[in-house]
Amino acid sequence: MEETTSTVSMASEASRTSAPTKESYVLHPSLLSSQARLAVLATRLLCNWACACFLATKFGRRLANASGRLSLSGASPIDDESMMVENPTCRHLFAWLSRQDVDYSVAWDIQQTIVIIREFVASSVQLSSEIICSFLEGLRNTMSLYRRDQRVSAEVIRLLTLIVPHLRLLDPGEPLGKDHKLTLHLLAAFWGLYEDTLLSSVAKLELVGFVEALLKADPELKWAEIKIKTRSGEQRSSIRLDAAVCRLLRDDDHTVRMYTIAVVPRLFLLHTAT
């Protein structure tokens, strides 16, 4: 583990010697040194290994409960968050995202961030709200620099779609958590880009998927909405997600319209729930 950490640190220093130009695609591996590319691959492997170990440990504990003739309903609950904290590899990877010196203008830093987030949210590992918030903060910092980069926008929206199922379920009347607020903040930011016709066709397709994921997570529309703000930061209005779907159905791009049609049946389920 120490050797891997050293390699990652050395690659980080090597990659900081030259920042990508505005014309470069910041997520492209060619912007990294060979050592940094190897470190990114090592990070992906570590993430997959950590997730596999987590799931194997969880399965082992369930199997031990079963072999001990304890019913699963009566057994002590398995604390996913504690198990994650106990894993030194997970601790190291999550600590990297919380570093104060992460520079999102540098290709190495942003690619490392994207890899860590992608591998964990795409897994079946249950993530705590604290971890999800650190992921969302990383994506927000990324978009603060690359909001006009269509390929980065598409990748970030794709990751947000994967993050939505990990959001904590809210009890009736419970206020929004930080993870929900950050998700809605990024949704509003991308919707603003969409309304200003600043999203590519690929990014718009990812936006449709993001909206659909939120409809699944909040079928009664109790918290998921697009909050439109003025330039001064004051909230001007809110757009319901069903209205957003109707807006996407009128998009100029035929592919976007066809992709949005697949979301329409969910609106019937939505109104049935409400």
Side-chain angles (χ1 to χ4, degrees):
M1 183 67 191
E2 288 75 10
E3 183 179 353
T4 304
T5 304
S6 176
T7 302
V8 170
S9 301
M10 291 171 61
S12 177
E13 293 301 321
S15 64
R16 290 176 184 274
T17 57
S18 59
T21 64
K22 292 183 179 180
E23 293 75 19
S24 301
Y25 176 38
V26 71
L27 297 181
H28 200 281
S30 63
L31 292 182
L32 301 179
S33 65
S34 57
Q35 187 180 33
R37 287 197 296 271
L38 180 61
V40 169
L41 291 175
T43 298
R44 180 177 292 116
L45 178 62
L46 281 173
C47 291
N48 289 325
W49 180 80
C51 290
C53 288
F54 176 88
L55 294 173
T57 302
K58 185 173 182 178
F59 176 77
R61 292 186 180 183
R62 288 187 181 275
L63 190 61
N65 286 338
S67 63
R69 297 181 180 179
L70 293 174
S71 65
L72 291 179
S73 59
S76 58
I78 300 174
D79 190 342
D80 286 7
E81 187 171 349
S82 297
M83 288 172 58
M84 188 71 72
V85 172
E86 290 172 4
N87 189 311
T89 306
C90 291
R91 286 204 309 269
H92 171 72
L93 292 169
F94 296 148
W96 192 94
L97 291 177
S98 304
R99 287 170 43 192
Q100 297 298 319
D101 62 340
V102 175
D103 187 350
Y104 291 93
S105 66
V106 176
W108 153 260
D109 290 51
I110 186 173
Q111 290 193 33
Q112 183 81 335
T113 297
I114 293 297
V115 164
I116 294 174
I117 296 174
R118 183 196 299 126
E119 298 304 321
F120 275 101
V121 299
S123 72
S124 57
V125 172
Q126 185 176 354
L127 302 169
S128 68
S129 296
E130 183 180 357
I131 293 172
I132 290 298
C133 285
S134 68
F135 289 174
L136 291 168
E137 290 284 5
L139 296 179
R140 183 171 67 172
N141 291 334
T142 297
M143 290 309 302
S144 67
L145 290 177
Y146 298 100
R147 63 190 301 268
R148 298 298 179 92
D149 189 312
Q150 298 300 320
R151 287 170 292 190
V152 173
S153 292
E155 178 64 24
V156 170
I157 300 173
R158 188 178 303 118
L159 292 176
L160 287 170
T161 302
L162 293 173
I163 284 176
V164 169
H166 291 277
L167 295 177
R168 182 173 52 84
L169 296 177
L170 295 174
D171 294 325
E174 183 181 359
L176 292 181
K178 185 180 179 181
D179 50 348
H180 299 83
K181 291 179 180 178
L182 285 171
T183 301
L184 295 182
H185 172 80
L186 287 165
L187 172 64
F190 281 114
W191 189 260
L193 292 175
Y194 171 71
E195 291 288 13
D196 293 338
T197 65
L198 295 175
L199 288 183
S200 66
S201 294
V202 174
K204 287 192 288 186
L205 291 176
E206 296 295 347
L207 181 61
V208 174
F210 185 20
V211 171
E212 182 180 18
L214 286 167
L215 285 171
K216 292 179 181 178
D218 184 25
E220 297 182 13
L221 292 183
K222 291 184 176 180
W223 58 269
E225 61 181 359
I226 303 172
K227 298 181 179 180
I228 307 300
K229 294 185 178 181
T230 62
R231 294 187 180 277
S232 61
E234 298 179 357
Q235 183 173 334
R236 186 178 64 195
S237 61
S238 297
I239 301 176
R240 285 170 54 99
L241 292 187
D242 50 356
V245 171
C246 293
R247 170 65 182 87
L248 290 164
L249 284 170
R250 301 193 304 272
D251 191 86
D252 295 335
D253 191 316
H254 176 70
T255 305
V256 174
R257 295 197 301 270
M258 294 301 294
Y259 193 67
T260 307
I261 287 175
V263 184
V264 172
R266 188 157 295 281
L267 298 183
F268 291 93
L269 297 175
L270 167 70
H271 289 294
T272 299
T274 55

